[in-house]
């Protein structure tokens, strides 16, 4: 049965009231990055959040676009543990794609839908100061080896001042995950990790991570096996069991960092569902997986 419009609005009202003046960090990635209509729907949701008194902050990825650009340039991408190995050339390609293309496109979409977007990378105002990630231990042909990921970083400091200034003046920040180290060198950081770090630094009420699946699935082939709620203490167990693997690992570990640092809830949702942000935030059932502290039962 189709819900009446007034019932939809009434169901949303308590959530709008609860989230008024809240900071929400929204990481956009996956299929949404290559489907213009899906991206438009997401940005329309984000602009609506701003107009109902919420302060959204967008962090975007761009893995598929970086990979496509590398392939066109005859450079084969390499990954370890869901993280891209980044040499000098790969870092420059990532910067061009993330800062020069995707970021500006999202800012333009915000303007199209009536909002005010402002594009930032981690280099702007020293927004994200990072250090080069240490070599990672991985299993290669049943042997543990250390692999240098190149110019891949991990966050040391988030300069929240610049984000607080622009959000208070009505802007929606759009952040590319290119950071800077203490010597001024650029570093590429996993966008899910950056989103978690920013949400933690701001003590955001919500962190929303978009992906191409309905959330965490017990069986990756069965969308009906979605786990709707995951306690913080159960995340590493799910990693050990293999339920969480590949690119979902940094996503969930970013979620853990955020919740441990004061973010109330982290939501992992399918960005390809039309208006998925509104459905997750403003309806009783939601559509994704929520990560939360075990003692914070709702």
């Amino acid at each position: 049965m189709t819900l009446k419009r007034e019932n939809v609005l009434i169901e949303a009202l308590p959530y709008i009231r609860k989230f008024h003046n809240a900071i929400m960090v929204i990481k956009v990635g996956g299929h949404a990055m290559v489907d213009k209509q899906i991206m438009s729907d997401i940005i329309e949701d984000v602009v609506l959040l701003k107009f109902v008194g919420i302060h959204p902050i967008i962090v975007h990825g761009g893995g598929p676009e970086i990979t496509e650009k590398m392939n066109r340039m005859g450079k084969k991408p390499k990954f370890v543990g869901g993280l891209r190995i980044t040499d000098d050339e790969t870092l420059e390609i990532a910067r061009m794609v993330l800062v020069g293309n995707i970021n500006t496109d999202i800012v333009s979409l915000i303007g199209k839908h009536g909002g005010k977007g402002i594009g930032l990378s981690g280099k702007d105002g020293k927004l994200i100061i990072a250090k080069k990630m240490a070599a990672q231990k991985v299993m290669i042909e049943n042997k543990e080896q250390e692999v240098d990921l190149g110019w891949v970083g991990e966050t040391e400091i988030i300069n929240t001042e610049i984000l607080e200034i622009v959000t208070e003046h009505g802007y929606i920040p759009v952040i590319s995950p290119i950071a800077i180290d203490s010597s001024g060198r650029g570093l590429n950081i996993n966008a899910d990790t950056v989103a978690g770090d920013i949400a933690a630094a701001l003590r955001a009420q919500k962190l929303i991570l978009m992906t191409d699946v309905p959330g965490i699935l017990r069986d990756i082939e069965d969308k009906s096996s979605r786990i709707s709620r995951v306690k913080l203490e159960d995340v590493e167990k799910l990693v050990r069991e293999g339920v969480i693997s590949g690119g979902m690992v940094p996503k969930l570990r970013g979620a853990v960092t955020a919740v441990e640092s004061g973010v109330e809830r982290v939501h992992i949702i399918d960005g390809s569902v039309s208006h998925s942000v509104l459905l997750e935030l403003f309806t009783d059932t939601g559509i994704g997986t929520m990560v939360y502290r075990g003692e914070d039962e709702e």
Side-chain angles (χ1 to χ4, degrees):
M1 184 177 79
T2 303
L3 286 174
K4 293 183 178 180
R5 291 184 181 182
E6 61 269 29
N7 290 341
V8 173
L9 293 171
I10 291 299
E11 183 177 340
L13 178 59
Y15 297 101
I16 293 172
R17 184 170 59 241
K18 178 181 179 181
F19 300 144
H20 184 78
N21 213 34
I23 295 172
M24 295 190 183
V25 179
I26 301 165
K27 187 270 176 171
V28 181
H31 191 61
M33 305 302 295
V34 294
D35 188 308
K36 290 183 179 180
Q37 185 57 54
I38 291 173
M39 180 62 81
S40 182
D41 287 348
I42 290 168
I43 299 307
E44 192 172 24
D45 288 359
V46 171
V47 172
L48 187 150
L49 296 183
K50 190 67 177 179
F51 281 120
V52 298
I54 295 167
H55 301 300
I57 295 171
I58 295 174
V59 177
H60 67 82
E65 292 85 348
I66 294 170
T67 298
E68 181 185 355
K69 185 76 168 179
M70 291 178 70
N71 287 332
R72 278 187 311 198
M73 296 177 71
K75 188 171 181 63
K76 186 177 180 181
K78 295 180 180 179
F79 292 87
V80 174
L83 298 171
R84 186 185 302 271
I85 295 179
T86 306
D87 58 15
D88 289 340
E89 187 179 7
T90 302
L91 179 63
E92 179 58 22
I93 293 170
R95 188 197 62 78
M96 287 191 300
V97 171
L98 294 170
V99 180
N101 296 342
I102 297 173
N103 193 282
T104 56
D105 287 346
I106 294 175
V107 170
S108 296
L109 267 178
I110 291 172
K112 176 184 175 182
H113 288 296
K116 298 190 298 181
I118 183 166
L120 299 166
S121 78
K123 292 185 175 185
D124 295 313
K126 294 184 177 179
L127 173 57
I128 307 170
I129 298 176
K131 64 179 180 180
K132 186 179 183 300
M133 186 176 285
Q136 301 293 292
K137 293 181 179 180
V138 296
M139 296 299 294
I140 301 176
E141 296 180 353
N142 295 321
K143 292 183 179 179
E144 187 177 75
Q145 299 184 29
E146 286 194 347
V147 177
D148 186 348
L149 297 176
W151 299 115
V152 174
E154 53 186 349
T155 304
E156 290 191 303
I157 300 171
I158 299 291
N159 177 10
T160 59
E161 181 185 28
I162 188 171
L163 297 176
E164 290 163 353
I165 290 171
V166 297
T167 55
E168 286 172 5
H169 284 78
Y171 291 90
I172 300 171
V174 182
I175 302 167
S176 297
I178 298 292
I180 190 170
D181 68 12
S182 58
S183 63
R185 173 83 201 195
L187 293 166
N188 187 26
I189 305 184
N190 177 276
D192 294 307
T193 303
V194 168
D197 292 336
I198 289 173
L202 290 167
R203 297 183 69 85
Q205 191 161 344
K206 298 280 187 183
L207 168 61
I208 300 168
L209 302 174
M210 292 192 173
T211 184
D212 289 333
V213 294
I216 299 174
L217 305 176
R218 287 203 174 275
D219 180 356
I220 195 66
E221 302 296 329
D222 181 7
K223 291 185 177 182
S224 68
S225 67
R226 174 173 63 94
I227 305 171
S228 61
R229 297 158 67 91
V230 175
K231 293 180 181 180
L232 200 63
E233 62 197 50
D234 293 334
V235 170
E236 287 303 323
K237 178 183 176 184
L238 291 171
V239 172
R240 290 194 302 271
E241 292 175 348
V243 175
I244 300 169
S245 61
M248 189 64 82
V249 174
K251 198 181 298 290
L252 262 294
R253 288 193 170 140
V256 168
T257 298
V259 175
E260 287 178 338
S261 301
V263 176
E264 290 188 13
R265 302 284 188 275
V266 178
H267 301 259
I268 299 169
I269 64 175
D270 186 351
S272 66
V273 175
S274 182
H275 298 293
S276 55
V277 173
L278 300 185
L279 290 172
E280 180 67 9
L281 292 178
F282 295 150
T283 64
D284 294 336
T285 55
I287 63 169
T289 296
M290 182 179 77
V291 181
Y292 67 108
R293 287 184 180 275
E295 64 269 23
D296 294 342
E297 296 286 355
E298 286 188 337

